[in-house]
Amino acid sequence: MDEVSIDDPRVQEIAAEEIRTQFAGFPDGVAASLVSAQIAAKFRSLIVQHPDAVAHLISGCAYRVVARAEGVIRLCDIAVSTAARGRGYGTLLLRDLLDEADAAGAALELSVWHDAPARSWYERHGFVVVGGDPHAYIDMRRE
């Protein structure tokens, strides 16, 4: 696992894959512009909200963005490229972070869309809902 800049092109390309699905059917030029704008906004927001956050890239096909504070680790973002899904990269990225949090006695926090499939994945790893909007993003925490 390599620590890389949040604006590393490999990280942004993995993130762009998911965003592209939202614009399927749009003319290519329009879709490309929209994806580019979404990626710029997403990562600019991450950097503003968590200026100390770092990205970890694994095998060039999965990444996580993490911010650390006293007693709390925040999983800001995690993604696996379409071609690499189902191979355990996401679990490896999360498991490594869970182990770090456990060793440090730190809580692990994240936000996820309320009905995202990832929510049940986080729940299986011990996260519980601690706030947010039950119809939008919810906040989850693992002690």
Side-chain angles (χ1 to χ4, degrees):
M1 187 174 329
D2 299 319
E3 186 172 310
V4 298
S5 169
I6 292 173
D7 61 359
D8 185 295
R10 297 169 295 176
V11 168
Q12 294 196 3
E13 178 53 35
I14 295 166
E17 282 185 22
E18 189 64 30
I19 294 171
R20 277 190 202 97
T21 64
Q22 298 170 17
F23 300 112
F26 281 63
D28 289 343
V30 172
S33 294
L34 292 170
V35 169
S36 178
Q38 289 285 321
I39 288 296
K42 173 184 180 114
F43 286 96
R44 194 169 33 250
S45 174
L46 274 173
I47 291 167
V48 167
Q49 291 177 22
H50 306 284
D52 60 337
V54 296
H56 298 103
L57 184 67
I58 186 166
S59 299
C61 63
Y63 75 88
R64 71 177 184 213
V65 176
V66 178
R68 293 170 176 85
E70 186 65 34
V72 178
I73 300 171
R74 174 124 187 120
L75 177 58
C76 303
D77 195 22
I78 188 169
V80 178
S81 70
T82 305
R85 289 186 184 158
R87 296 186 190 166
Y89 289 112
T91 299
L92 179 62
L93 286 167
L94 183 60
R95 172 61 33 211
D96 180 67
L97 204 53
L98 293 169
D99 291 346
E100 177 187 337
D102 290 346
L108 192 51
E109 298 178 338
L110 58 87
S111 296
V112 66
W113 193 251
H114 74 100
D115 62 353
R119 177 181 175 173
S120 62
W121 183 65
Y122 292 125
E123 289 170 339
R124 286 194 308 273
H125 285 91
F127 287 86
V128 295
V129 175
V130 295
D133 183 338
H135 304 290
Y137 278 100
I138 56 170
D139 299 318
M140 300 186 82
R141 185 176 175 103
R142 179 183 177 274
E143 296 291 332

